[in-house]
Amino acid sequence: MVLVIVGITGGFTLDAGPLRFSAHGWRAPLLVALAALGAMAFSGRDAFAGAFSAAWTCIDDHAAACAVVLAATAAGVGVAHGTYSASSSDASGYVSESRLIASARLASDEPLARAVAWPNATWAFAPLGYRPGSDAGELVPTYPAGLPLVMAPLRLLGGELAPYLVVPFLGAMAVFAAYRVGARLHSRPAGLTAALLLATSPILLFQIVQPMSDVPVTAWWTLALLFALSPLPNGPLAAGATAGLAVLTRPNLLPFAAVVALAVMNLPRLRGAASEAASAGAARAMERRVRPDRLVGFAAGIIPAIGAQFLMQWHLYGSALASGYGAASGLYGLANIAPNVAGYAQRMLHGEAAALTLAAAAVAVLAVARGGAGAAPPLKQPLVLATIALAIVVASYVPYGVFAEWSYLRFLLPAFPLLFVLIGALVAAALMRLPLPVRAALFVCALAAAASVNVVRARQEQAFSMRRYESRYSLAGRYLSSSLAANTVVVTSQHSGSARYYASLPVLRWDQLDVDFDLAIAALRAIGRHPVLLVEDWETARLAAKYPRSAMARLDWRPRAEFGEETRVFLYDPDDRGPARTWRADRVH
């Protein structure tokens, strides 16, 4: 296994307190593997075959422990490489909304929107992640409240840092729940495969370091499936309540509840006992008949959350069916379907090549090999549930806006646990067609190869470098908080969410202004406000292009401070404009 990992990744170093494990060359692992094989062969053919056969049983017996390690590892990645920054739109929106909820509010107020005579003034003073409410000056969150509702109590208990730990924790929960779902639907090796593919998925690793809703909604739906498959009497109620948290986190995926409802009713019917249930002596308790009566408990669990979501949408946006993102007609379009189908297919091939390769290899073995030493559980239930789940999630997003970035594969993440369970079931079924002595070695090497490819891909996509890249938001925001006067207004766009969050100062979105730029600056000064400009390097050309007749929009004077590395951020004070200024700009790291 070490040889496989080194061959794909180029080597690794693990620090475990005082212990340090390192492997960066292929010769040492190869020699150790050959020596071990030689020692086993020297012990005799029967002992050799027996050791490899026992390894498969060992994997089955310790699959749950391995899944715990994988879940803890995923959480460790989120904690160790987390951005800890209220950055851009999504992250600043969720983190700042959690602060609102912690203060027992769902909206905030900006008096400056009532102090100026501009059209659409509230829009201009709304930072990223917020939009105008029903009254002038009222700012309401754009994003659903599910994730902030989880962050808020932790913020009250643990302070500013605590909200950033929610996503890593829920990521770990998603990984372990994927294992349990796979073990219930098929077998422990299937669940272990699902857990590993999810824990090392490049898009999950990319999102688990950021305070965004993709990993949490995936965790809630996967946990809901686990409760739905449980034979416990209160399983449907727990499944409904957990699905309700998923709806509050991402309301547009409400149709995914149909997948959980099918699992609650035991549809399609589970005709074979999963290895987990059989080994635990619980096969007799496994529900084998269709149980529509269990839908009552599921409905009792999910309806309160749906009702709460409708109430929040009515209160914040004026209609129970409205959302913070705007009208559906402006978000969805038939013209988006074709480019999105091609785009998501390319992202899947790019980001999940390891999982797709495992699936293809397993299907090839199943097509060629016949019989086997043991009978694998049926594939029907994971196949049907995964197909429906993927169809619902894809149908929810292919008419949505077209995005070029690979990272928008995150929209499909809620379907991945079931998809990986299906792949795990295919792998387990294929291995059951092979001789017992070779199963464990092939299984371990295949998973090691898949995990290695995934980690390399995640590293190429900068999943482990996001903290450095996103740090410019928190650096700039904290600098503003410590250096600017209380009457300052930060004129910005990309940093509007983070500037308002960190500095607690009003922000003016230059990209949302419906008046002349110089006129807006003069109006702020006339009411006793001091405007400063905070722009990223790529925004300067856009600012000048939007206001071609504004001399101030050209930013033709020295900035007061600079932040960031790959992307640079500049702070300009209009009072510094003029040839007589000779001071040097602060360079903040």
Side-chain angles (χ1 to χ4, degrees):
M1 182 177 71
V2 173
L3 182 62
V4 171
I5 295 173
V6 171
I8 294 174
T9 65
F12 62 89
T13 299
L14 298 177
D15 289 314
L19 301 178
R20 181 183 177 89
F21 304 92
S22 177
H24 293 277
W26 58 269
R27 291 182 178 84
L30 177 61
L31 291 175
V32 172
L34 292 175
L37 289 173
M40 293 176 65
F42 184 76
S43 300
R45 182 176 179 181
D46 292 340
F48 185 87
F52 274 93
S53 300
W56 181 248
T57 304
C58 181
I59 290 173
D60 191 76
D61 291 342
H62 296 90
C66 294
V68 169
V69 172
L70 288 169
T73 302
V77 170
V79 172
H81 298 281
T83 61
Y84 301 97
S85 179
S87 55
S88 190
S89 177
D90 295 61
S92 68
Y94 287 118
V95 175
S96 63
E97 189 175 351
S98 75
R99 187 165 67 183
L100 267 180
I101 294 174
S103 63
R105 293 180 296 160
L106 288 177
S108 60
D109 181 66
E110 181 47 70
L112 283 180
R114 297 186 294 272
V116 296
W118 310 332
N120 300 317
T122 306
W123 264 118
F125 286 102
L128 287 171
Y130 289 81
R131 57 175 297 151
S134 56
D135 300 323
E138 183 184 36
L139 304 178
V140 298
T142 298
Y143 299 109
L147 177 57
L149 280 170
V150 179
M151 290 176 167
L154 294 179
R155 171 186 289 276
L156 292 173
L157 292 172
E160 176 68 24
L161 181 66
Y164 297 101
L165 302 179
V166 170
V167 173
F169 172 77
L170 291 177
M173 190 169 69
V175 170
F176 189 72
Y179 161 74
R180 293 298 299 268
V181 169
R184 287 187 180 276
L185 288 178
H186 192 267
S187 61
R188 286 171 175 165
L192 183 57
T193 302
L196 179 134
L197 291 177
L198 186 61
T200 63
S201 168
I203 192 60
L204 182 129
L205 294 176
F206 189 84
Q207 293 301 133
I208 204 171
V209 301
Q210 304 180 64
M212 294 167 61
S213 66
D214 305 277
V215 172
V217 73
T218 301
W220 295 132
W221 282 124
T222 311
L223 193 61
L225 281 166
L226 178 58
F227 287 134
L229 295 168
S230 170
L232 296 175
N234 290 329
L237 181 63
T242 313
L245 288 172
V247 172
L248 289 171
T249 303
R250 192 162 289 179
N252 69 305
L253 287 183
L254 174 60
F256 200 97
V259 181
V260 183
L262 289 175
V264 164
M265 293 188 294
N266 193 31
L267 283 174
R269 294 177 64 185
L270 184 61
R271 299 182 183 278
S275 64
E276 181 185 75
S279 63
R284 292 186 299 274
M286 183 74 70
E287 296 288 350
R288 298 182 184 279
R289 59 189 176 87
V290 178
R291 293 287 306 276
D293 57 295
R294 284 164 59 90
L295 283 179
V296 175
F298 177 70
I302 195 173
I303 285 176
I306 296 175
Q309 182 62 36
F310 283 155
L311 282 174
M312 281 190 288
Q313 291 178 170
W314 173 76
H315 175 71
L316 295 176
Y317 313 121
S319 169
L321 300 179
S323 78
Y325 297 99
S329 59
L331 299 173
Y332 296 91
L334 294 177
N336 298 334
I337 294 178
N340 271 335
V341 168
Y344 284 118
Q346 291 173 358
R347 294 184 187 106
M348 282 293 293
L349 292 172
H350 176 79
E352 300 299 332
L356 297 177
T357 301
L358 270 184
V363 170
V365 171
L366 290 171
V368 173
R370 291 289 182 266
L379 293 169
K380 181 179 179 180
Q381 198 168 31
L383 176 61
V384 171
L385 292 179
T387 301
I388 296 174
L390 186 62
I392 288 173
V393 175
V394 169
S396 299
Y397 284 107
V398 291
Y400 194 54
V402 180
F403 303 96
E405 294 83 359
W406 164 83
S407 61
Y408 282 93
L409 183 60
R410 62 190 176 89
F411 287 159
L412 305 189
L413 192 55
F416 280 16
L418 271 177
L419 180 62
F420 292 155
V421 165
L422 174 60
I423 294 174
L426 290 170
V427 169
L431 289 171
M432 295 297 288
R433 299 280 182 91
L434 301 177
L436 181 59
V438 305
R439 292 177 190 170
L442 282 178
F443 183 68
V444 171
C445 289
L447 293 193
S452 300
V453 170
N454 279 344
V455 171
V456 169
R457 176 63 67 193
R459 185 172 60 197
Q460 292 172 345
E461 296 296 340
Q462 308 302 315
F464 310 122
S465 304
M466 289 296 293
R467 179 188 297 180
R468 185 186 73 251
Y469 183 69
E470 299 288 271
S471 64
R472 67 189 191 276
Y473 292 96
S474 55
L475 281 173
R478 291 190 171 102
Y479 181 89
L480 298 181
S481 177
S482 64
S483 63
L484 298 184
N487 68 332
T488 303
V489 176
V490 183
V491 182
T492 184
S493 175
Q494 184 67 17
H495 284 251
S496 55
S498 55
R500 184 177 175 90
Y501 176 76
Y502 287 110
S504 298
L505 293 171
V507 295
L508 176 64
R509 292 268 303 275
W510 58 261
D511 58 317
Q512 294 287 352
L513 272 176
D514 286 340
V515 296
D516 179 75
F517 188 69
D518 291 351
L519 178 64
I521 298 296
L524 289 176
R525 284 174 164 164
I527 58 175
R529 295 289 182 160
H530 179 65
V532 297
L533 287 81
L534 186 68
V535 296
E536 295 201 338
D537 47 14
W538 56 272
E539 292 183 291
T540 56
R542 296 188 181 186
L543 176 62
K546 181 174 173 64
Y547 305 102
R549 291 184 291 183
S550 169
M552 191 170 296
R554 291 197 293 269
L555 301 176
D556 54 358
W557 70 97
R558 188 187 298 273
R560 177 158 290 203
E562 299 178 18
F563 317 90
E565 297 178 14
E566 290 92 345
T567 301
R568 299 173 67 191
V569 187
F570 304 100
L571 175 66
Y572 291 92
D573 189 331
D575 286 351
D576 298 329
R577 189 166 182 259
R581 299 293 182 179
T582 58
W583 49 266
R584 299 178 62 183
D586 292 337
R587 186 76 175 98
V588 183
H589 298 280

